[in-house]
Amino acid sequence: MKTLYTRIILIYILTFIISLVAAVVTVSYLVDKKYSREQENLMLEQGQSFIQLYKSVPDKELLKSTYNGFLESLYLRIQLYDGTGDIQVFGSQRKEITKISDEIVQSVKQGDVYKSEKDIFGYMTVGLPFTVDGEPHAVFVYIDDGGMTKDLYKILNIGLFVAIMLGALLILVVSRYIVHPLTKMTDVTKKLAKGQFDVQLHSKRKDEIGTLSRSIDAMAKDLSRLEEMRRNFISDVSHEVQTPLTSIRGFSKALKREGLSEMERIEFSEVIEQESERLSRLCRNLLSLASLESDQHPFDPTSYALDEQIRGLILKTEPQWLEKELELEIKLPKATIEADRDLLYQVWMNLLQNSIKYNHQGGKIRIWLRPKGERVQVGVEDTGPGIADEDQRHIFDRFYRADSSRTEKTSHGIGLSIVKRIVDIHQGDIHVDSQIGSGSRFVITLPLRQKR
């Protein structure tokens, strides 16, 4: 009973038995309703025919021997009560006499026609009166239930045997047809649980089992991609962590050397400090991205002036863009937005710092804001080296580096991943347009009000 296969077989067998019993009851009811009148008429006709033959044939033993076979073929018995009280049975080799009360016999002899109630098998008895030589006789016609029941049981037994054997065979085949794909699914899910994601069911069925099979195939592909992403993530993190650690370890050993000048000692210390800050930023960004992707990061939208937030960031990064002699073109009309101020701060800071880092000395940065109905667009454009078309599809992936020219100054490959996640949380979208040698343009579209 613990296996689905056994349960299906038992359910099918139980259903088959219930259906069979219901069919027998229904057929019996319909047959009885349709043929009860025919049965009565048949018995009356045979009774009258017997009376005529009995009166016309002098040799009663010859009548019995010739008439018995005919009655047996109709499953009928005739019980005759003559004027002397003797009882004769026609239509059966058996000598048993069916008990009929004396009151009924006398009533029929006196000229009444008798019709009994049906018994549990739907059979009835008919009694007819007649006289021979002035003596009253009574003849009773009834079903020879012994012969009929024997033949009926034989037919039913054969029919039931064939139905049960054929039904059992069909149940076994159909059950295996249903359970087999479920067994394969079980094997596949066990492999998935063990980390074997290169499994597919390739089901072509169009029913619910086929839908479930395709869902498992899709899940296996997703798990395979997640596993690949996990391995790449671990590899990338290890590489990103290893690089500053190698620098820190190397310059720490260099500080131990004797004979270092004060200038060299300061220079080595600054490198160690920079690499430590780089490692710290990486850890903060990893924690921030993990928190954002967990759907448990605090999200506190408030209404504030978006244009003023961006202006404040531009002023905060002034030393950086002045150092590279960058020209800034700013178009920030007043715009009020309902959003999480701290999260969007990370978005604008990341994009602004990237446009400064990847720009040429003396280049240009254009920052603009444009209200559009119920939404607002913010653009950050630079005149840096640009991003190749094949790289633009991946710049929001973790640790993806567009080209070697950005490797030294990239925000450890997850800054834009954080930007994309924050924009998604605000039900917005981000678009990048870039060409090699012509700079890059990032456009973020956000709703002015968050949906509740």
Side-chain angles (χ1 to χ4, degrees):
M1 289 297 293
K2 292 183 178 180
T3 65
L4 180 61
Y5 184 67
T6 304
R7 292 180 181 178
I8 289 177
I9 289 178
L10 292 178
I11 290 172
Y12 275 153
I13 291 176
L14 182 61
T15 303
F16 173 75
I17 293 175
I18 294 174
S19 301
L20 187 62
V21 171
V24 170
V25 172
T26 303
V27 170
S28 299
Y29 171 77
L30 294 176
V31 168
D32 177 70
K33 185 176 181 181
K34 181 175 179 58
Y35 293 106
S36 59
R37 177 62 62 181
E38 284 81 351
Q39 179 191 130
E40 179 182 337
N41 293 336
L42 173 65
M43 298 175 76
L44 289 173
E45 290 175 0
Q46 293 305 316
Q48 293 170 354
S49 298
F50 174 78
I51 292 173
Q52 293 177 359
L53 286 172
Y54 188 82
K55 289 181 177 181
S56 61
V57 177
D59 190 347
K60 306 308 181 186
E61 291 299 325
L62 176 62
L63 174 62
K64 181 179 292 188
S65 62
T66 57
Y67 200 57
N68 277 352
F70 175 73
L71 291 176
E72 286 180 0
S73 66
L74 297 177
Y75 299 103
L76 295 178
R77 293 184 75 187
I78 291 179
Q79 200 159 289
L80 175 65
Y81 293 80
D82 60 20
T84 62
D86 291 337
I87 302 175
Q88 300 181 54
V89 178
F90 296 82
S92 175
Q93 300 297 326
R94 296 180 293 122
K95 303 300 182 180
E96 296 87 354
I97 296 174
T98 300
K99 180 63 176 175
I100 299 176
S101 67
D102 293 337
E103 292 81 2
I104 295 175
V105 174
Q106 292 302 321
S107 173
V108 173
K109 282 185 176 184
Q110 292 174 7
D112 294 334
V113 176
Y114 172 74
K115 296 177 184 178
S116 71
E117 297 292 335
K118 295 178 183 178
D119 60 15
I120 59 174
F121 298 104
Y123 303 153
M124 64 182 301
T125 301
V126 173
L128 297 173
F130 69 101
T131 58
V132 178
D133 299 330
E135 293 290 335
H137 289 60
V139 61
F140 292 89
V141 184
Y142 54 92
I143 300 294
D144 182 10
D145 57 347
M148 177 174 281
T149 303
K150 180 179 179 181
D151 292 343
L152 181 61
Y153 281 165
K154 183 178 180 180
I155 295 172
L156 287 177
N157 288 336
I158 294 174
L160 285 174
F161 177 77
V162 172
I164 290 174
M165 294 302 296
L166 183 60
L169 180 61
L170 291 175
I171 287 170
L172 290 174
V173 173
V174 172
S175 299
R176 185 166 295 277
Y177 174 76
I178 295 176
V179 174
H180 180 65
L182 297 178
T183 304
K184 291 179 63 177
M185 291 181 198
T186 301
D187 294 337
V188 167
T189 53
K190 287 181 179 178
K191 291 179 180 179
L192 292 176
K194 294 179 181 179
Q196 302 176 21
F197 304 127
D198 56 340
V199 290
Q200 291 289 301
L201 291 168
H202 301 295
S203 176
K204 297 182 180 179
R205 297 175 58 151
K206 304 298 183 182
D207 54 8
E208 290 81 358
I209 293 179
T211 302
L212 179 58
S213 298
R214 287 186 287 275
S215 297
I216 292 177
D217 288 345
M219 180 179 67
K221 290 181 180 180
D222 291 340
L223 290 174
S224 180
R225 285 195 293 267
L226 287 174
E227 177 64 16
E228 183 178 1
M229 291 174 59
R230 185 186 68 83
R231 289 195 296 265
N232 293 337
F233 180 78
I234 293 175
S235 175
D236 292 336
V237 170
S238 300
H239 178 268
E240 294 290 342
V241 171
Q242 185 64 33
T243 300
L245 287 178
T246 301
S247 297
I248 291 172
R249 183 170 57 251
F251 283 99
S252 297
K253 290 181 179 179
L255 285 174
K256 296 179 181 178
R257 294 203 307 259
E258 296 181 0
L260 285 177
S261 64
E262 186 64 23
M263 184 177 295
E264 289 177 325
R265 193 177 301 279
I266 293 174
E267 181 181 351
F268 292 168
S269 298
E270 288 179 349
V271 172
I272 292 174
E273 183 180 1
Q274 291 173 0
E275 293 301 315
S276 299
E277 291 177 354
R278 178 183 173 186
L279 188 60
S280 178
R281 286 196 304 272
L282 172 62
C283 293
R284 286 197 305 271
N285 287 338
L286 285 173
L287 290 173
S288 178
L289 184 60
S291 176
L292 290 170
E293 291 185 342
S294 68
D295 293 329
Q296 296 178 352
H297 192 280
F299 181 65
D300 185 22
T302 57
S303 182
Y304 70 95
L306 179 61
D307 57 301
E308 300 214 356
Q309 183 186 44
I310 299 175
R311 281 194 188 91
L313 286 172
I314 294 173
L315 292 175
K316 187 173 182 178
T317 57
E318 183 178 4
Q320 301 175 34
W321 51 266
L322 285 178
E323 182 182 354
K324 295 190 71 171
E325 300 178 345
L326 298 176
E327 177 186 349
L328 267 69
E329 180 182 335
I330 302 171
K331 292 183 179 180
L332 298 173
K334 291 185 177 295
T336 301
I337 189 174
E338 184 181 276
D340 190 307
R341 182 193 295 264
D342 294 336
L343 291 180
L344 286 188
Y345 178 91
Q346 297 182 55
V347 172
W348 315 132
M349 178 60 76
N350 188 286
L351 293 178
L352 187 55
Q353 287 183 339
N354 285 348
S355 65
I356 295 172
K357 290 178 183 178
Y358 303 142
N359 219 326
H360 300 301
Q361 187 75 21
K364 183 178 180 180
I365 296 177
R366 183 170 178 263
I367 303 173
W368 51 269
L369 185 153
R370 187 180 302 148
K372 296 189 68 175
E374 297 297 321
R375 304 176 76 82
V376 63
Q377 285 186 333
V378 177
V380 179
E381 304 176 15
D382 63 57
T383 56
I387 306 171
D389 291 340
E390 61 271 17
D391 294 324
Q392 292 180 31
R393 296 190 299 269
H394 304 285
I395 60 174
F396 299 110
D397 297 342
R398 303 170 187 170
F399 299 106
Y400 185 81
R401 299 181 184 277
D403 54 56
S404 58
S405 65
R406 295 193 171 200
T407 302
E408 294 301 322
K409 296 183 179 181
T410 186
S411 182
H412 299 289
I414 60 174
L416 289 178
S417 298
I418 294 175
V419 169
K420 180 67 167 62
R421 180 57 185 161
I422 293 174
V423 172
D424 290 341
I425 291 175
H426 284 81
Q427 305 166 22
D429 59 76
I430 182 170
H431 175 72
V432 59
D433 183 17
S434 180
Q435 292 181 354
I436 296 297
S438 300
S440 301
R441 181 177 70 169
F442 288 84
V443 178
I444 293 178
T445 305
L446 296 170
L448 291 175
R449 297 288 181 271
Q450 292 296 308
K451 293 181 180 180
R452 300 299 182 181

